[in-house]
Amino acid sequence: MNTEHRSGCPINLSLEVFGDRWSLIILRDIIFGGRRHFRELLNGSIEGIASNILADRLKRLMELGLLTKADDPSHKQKAIYSLTEMAITLVPIMAHLGAWGRVWLPVSEELSIRAELLEKGGPPLWDRFMDELRHEHLGAPVKMPPGTPTVRRQLQTAYEAVVARKPQAAAAG
């Protein structure tokens, strides 16, 4: 991996990690979509990532220490990708990016509802989500009562509710 950097500025160094078109999208799909296999990431990408680009970015994210890869115990020919602590701590940054995008960009209601809920939930929700990701990806103990819906489930439920309501609103109009 290339270790030469343009400068030691933290913004520059961060952009060297995330400045390409796909790295944050892949991490988004793992964090919020729960996608952990190559095919899930490839077929679940609404942005349409090419398989060679996905393979390259996954390799790069592993080299940078944001992801790990292991054999999937449920299938001999599959690998499972896991977030590292370094990647999990991106949740607040993703929440801020989503909040900024909701204000300044032409977002769709169904694809921005998760960002809205993360913004409204603020740091307590982000911390809970990061704890859930630590459990899922790093095997950390669960810190919430059994039966409590996960943050990812709450975000997905809100998304599904917007999608379910959309056709009805169009038909009524």
Side-chain angles (χ1 to χ4, degrees):
M1 185 175 92
N2 180 9
T3 56
E4 291 195 28
H5 305 288
R6 288 185 296 264
S7 78
C9 167
I11 293 173
N12 168 69
L13 292 170
S14 297
L15 283 175
E16 287 183 17
V17 172
F18 305 114
D20 69 87
R21 178 179 171 143
W22 295 107
S23 294
L24 281 176
I25 299 300
I26 293 166
L27 291 169
R28 175 205 65 192
D29 289 350
I30 295 171
I31 291 169
F32 296 103
R35 299 182 185 115
R36 299 192 58 190
H37 297 97
F38 185 89
R39 284 271 165 230
E40 290 174 330
L41 290 162
L42 182 66
N43 298 330
S45 170
I46 60 173
E47 290 83 9
I49 190 168
S51 62
N52 61 322
I53 301 294
L54 176 59
D56 178 69
R57 292 314 184 279
L58 287 169
K59 180 181 175 194
R60 186 160 188 274
L61 290 168
M62 288 186 296
E63 289 171 350
L64 291 166
L66 290 153
L67 294 177
T68 59
K69 178 181 172 183
D71 292 335
D72 186 339
S74 69
H75 194 285
K76 290 180 184 176
Q77 296 178 326
K78 280 186 176 180
I80 189 163
Y81 293 92
S82 295
L83 300 166
T84 64
E85 181 65 20
M86 185 182 192
I88 290 168
T89 60
L90 289 170
V91 166
I93 293 165
M94 297 259 195
H96 284 291
L97 277 173
W100 182 87
R102 285 183 58 247
V103 171
W104 297 105
L105 302 172
V107 300
S108 67
E109 182 185 6
E110 65 272 14
L111 294 178
S112 66
I113 187 65
R114 294 178 185 109
E116 181 181 344
L117 294 176
L118 284 168
E119 182 180 3
K120 287 179 179 175
L125 186 66
W126 309 340
D127 288 342
R128 194 171 126 217
F129 192 28
M130 289 188 290
D131 285 342
E132 292 169 7
L133 291 168
R134 287 181 186 103
H135 172 70
E136 181 181 341
H137 291 264
L138 305 175
V142 179
K143 295 183 179 181
M144 63 182 185
T148 305
T150 65
V151 172
R152 185 184 295 130
R153 170 61 17 223
Q154 291 173 338
L155 299 175
Q156 184 64 24
T157 300
Y159 165 78
E160 290 168 1
V162 171
V163 169
R165 159 176 110 237
K166 282 282 211 181
Q168 294 168 348

